[in-house]
């Protein structure tokens, strides 16, 4: 699997959970749609540079202290790993 896709997946899940958003609300905040965010989080789709910029810009607008860049969005950070489970896998 492409490391950048995996890193992006980790970061998107991290930021979504940090702000306590559903995928649908997160998609609205970053200017996308639910299906696209779901595919990015599950490494099923490769984002465009424009979409990465859009995600960063919209997250920065939401949280003025974040100051997130596209390159940071693709970097691995062990602290950003989350424990996510699918709804149908939860006990």
């Amino acid at each position: 699997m492409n490391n950048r896709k995996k890193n992006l997946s980790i970061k998107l899940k991290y930021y979504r959970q940090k702000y306590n958003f559903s995928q649908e609300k997160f998609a609205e905040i970053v200017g996308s749609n639910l299906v696209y965010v779901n595919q990015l989080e599950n490494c099923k789709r490769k984002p465009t540079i424009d979409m990465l910029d859009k995600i960063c810009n919209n997250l920065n607008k939401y949280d003025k202290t974040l100051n997130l860049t596209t390159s940071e969005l693709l970097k691995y950070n062990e602290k950003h790993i989350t424990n996510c489970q699918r709804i149908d896998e939860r006990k």
Side-chain angles (χ1 to χ4, degrees), residues 42 83-91:
N42 291 298
N83 185 15
C84 294
Q85 285 184 316
R86 291 171 46 112
I87 291 173
D88 58 349
E89 292 175 345
R90 293 181 186 163
K91 294 179 181 180

Side-chain angles (χ1 to χ4, degrees), residues 35-49:
V35 173
Y36 191 76
V37 167
N38 182 278
Q39 290 172 339
L40 291 176
E41 281 193 9
N42 291 298
C43 298
K44 304 276 188 209
R45 190 163 192 176
K46 186 167 50 171
T48 64
I49 296 296

